[in-house]
Amino acid sequence: MKRTICFRLRIAVALIATLATGSVVAFAQQAHMKVLFDTDIGTDIDDAWALGYALQSPSFELLGVTVTDADTPKRARLACKLLQRLGRTNVPVAVGRQTAAVPPDRIDYQFTWAEDFEAYKPISTPAVEFLADTIRRNPNEVTLIAVGPLQNIGDLVRLHPDVIPLVKRVVLMSGSIGANAFSSTAVPEWNVRLAIPEAQAVYAADWPLTIVPLDSTSYLQLQDVERETLRKAGTPLTIALEALLRLWSDRPTSRMTMHDQTALAEAQHPGKFFNRCEPMPLRVDGEGYTRVDRAGGRPVVVCLEPKRNDFMAHYLAQLASK
């Protein structure tokens, strides 16, 4: 009798353990975030370093990279080479429509890093169609992170309005609400100013929108000791990122501002790296300002007052991990 009771007890304990393990696995799978990353990689340096962040995140399932603004085929080649170097050719790269460069004589030296690269190529599907198809296949599961001018995301809203309610969350490096490290007042932020009609559509769309504005990102710069820490890590990623940083630097005093990386950090850990994340009624005006407009704006969560030390410790550790 005692043996029977003990046997049944062991079976019950094993069953409970199995169920508990299954619950943990199910929770882990649920917590794994499906991400689409839209970027103008190749002009400023933070885009490449942000893509590296996305690839290193243990909680992101990167469904694809879309490239936006100006010479998008060259941007796509750069993204493809970075993915190939990290053994991530399972991540598709889709090319957005080309637009005029601003200023017209701009030279993006990072493009030289991948100018002859052919080992991994973008898909043939245009960026906006790829975004729409991926969101439809993963309804209410995709976090859309955009860190460049909003041509692709604006086209998505305009051409495929049916996907708007299917997006779980949109996180942008975008906008300028008030003072920042470069100006005592709000300015038409670059990612908004280069595609004003598209930004207006994105900000007005009825989806959960969070922005990390210039008010926060402009105060975060990579310091020399932090750069050296990553250089010494000597991983394929940190070697590639250091090479791109050297192509981007135009003088010994150049420092990377961590604009785009903070948007990814907010997507990965909502609210963790800011003292304030609060809803504001925003609209984009005809000059590219992101205005607080209580009568005509839509609610947008705005992340302010970054926790630099917490963010940098997290970012550096994630980027240097093997």
Side-chain angles (χ1 to χ4, degrees), residues 269-288:
H269 298 291
K272 181 176 181 178
F273 300 113
F274 300 91
N275 287 314
R276 289 195 294 143
C277 286
E278 58 188 59
M280 297 182 184
L282 297 184
R283 68 173 177 86
V284 175
D285 71 12
E287 296 179 326

Side-chain angles (χ1 to χ4, degrees), residues 214-284:
L214 207 60
D215 313 45
S216 296
T217 65
S218 60
Y219 295 101
L220 302 172
Q221 286 193 334
L222 184 72
Q223 300 303 313
D224 290 346
V225 65
E226 296 164 340
R227 175 180 175 179
E228 184 65 9
T229 297
L230 290 176
R231 190 189 67 80
K232 287 181 177 178
T235 68
L237 174 61
T238 58
I239 291 170
L241 295 182
E242 175 66 21
L244 290 168
L245 183 55
R246 294 185 184 197
L247 287 170
W248 170 82
S249 302
D250 61 350
R251 59 182 67 89
T253 57
S254 295
R255 298 290 181 274
M256 173 173 53
T257 303
M258 317 283 280
H259 297 292
D260 299 344
Q261 295 95 320
T262 49
L264 283 156
E266 168 57 22
Q268 185 181 15
H269 298 291
K272 181 176 181 178
F273 300 113
F274 300 91
N275 287 314
R276 289 195 294 143
C277 286
E278 58 188 59
M280 297 182 184
L282 297 184
R283 68 173 177 86
V284 175

